[in-house]
Amino acid sequence: MSDTPRTLLHTTSIPVRWGDMDAYAHVNNTVYFRYCEQARVEWVEALGFPVHSEAGQGPVIINAACTFLVPITYPATVIVKLYAGVPGRSSVMTWYEILVEGDDRIFAEGSAKVVWMNHETGRSVPIPDELRHTLVA
């Protein structure tokens, strides 16, 4: 990960399912984005912000990236560490480290720009103060 200032906000464990693997017998690249998504949703919901359209507003992703460093295979439990940078008015960069339980290596690194959005208008809105506080604390 780069030298951009960031704060560790959430860590989660996710079991690798047999169906997460592809024909090459390792976790398919698309599944890594699901692992990051799960960590992000757990973090936001733990702060009291439900992640669904009926909530009126919430986080959406406007870009995402992942660098695959070491293949993950079944059986395993992945550990996803979620970091965030300094928030802007309505957005914040997040970064992810994906590890495997019992192994010190980083298997993948990812990032996603999160924008707080009004679901009805489709426009960005300011990050809620309660969430901003956790990002700058």
Side-chain angles (χ1 to χ4, degrees):
M1 293 199 317
S2 73
D3 294 334
T4 304
R6 59 194 66 193
T7 303
L8 177 62
L9 298 173
H10 185 73
T11 300
T12 191
S13 300
I14 305 169
V16 174
R17 301 168 303 172
W18 174 257
D20 291 346
M21 293 193 306
D22 59 20
Y24 297 110
H26 58 69
V27 171
N28 185 271
N29 59 342
T30 61
V31 177
Y32 290 72
F33 290 97
R34 291 286 190 191
Y35 295 156
C36 296
E37 174 185 62
Q38 184 64 36
R40 190 171 49 251
V41 167
E42 286 178 13
W43 166 63
V44 171
E45 288 191 333
L47 294 173
F49 298 100
V51 180
H52 54 75
S53 61
E54 293 81 26
Q57 57 179 252
V60 297
I61 302 305
I62 62 168
N63 67 29
C66 189
T67 301
F68 310 98
L69 302 169
V70 180
I72 299 173
T73 58
Y74 177 90
T77 299
V78 297
I79 308 298
V80 182
K81 294 183 178 185
L82 163 63
Y83 300 83
V86 177
R89 181 190 77 85
S90 62
S91 67
V92 63
M93 275 303 297
T94 58
W95 293 272
Y96 308 85
E97 289 179 341
I98 298 176
L99 303 97
V100 169
E101 192 173 78
D103 193 318
D104 293 333
R105 297 178 293 171
I106 296 174
F107 284 69
E109 296 177 328
S111 64
K113 187 166 189 178
V114 178
V115 175
W116 209 260
M117 181 176 291
N118 178 305
H119 295 305
E120 187 175 314
T121 66
R123 295 191 173 272
S124 68
V125 295
I127 294 172
D129 290 338
E130 307 85 46
L131 180 59
R132 181 176 298 283
H133 176 71
T134 67
L135 295 167
V136 297

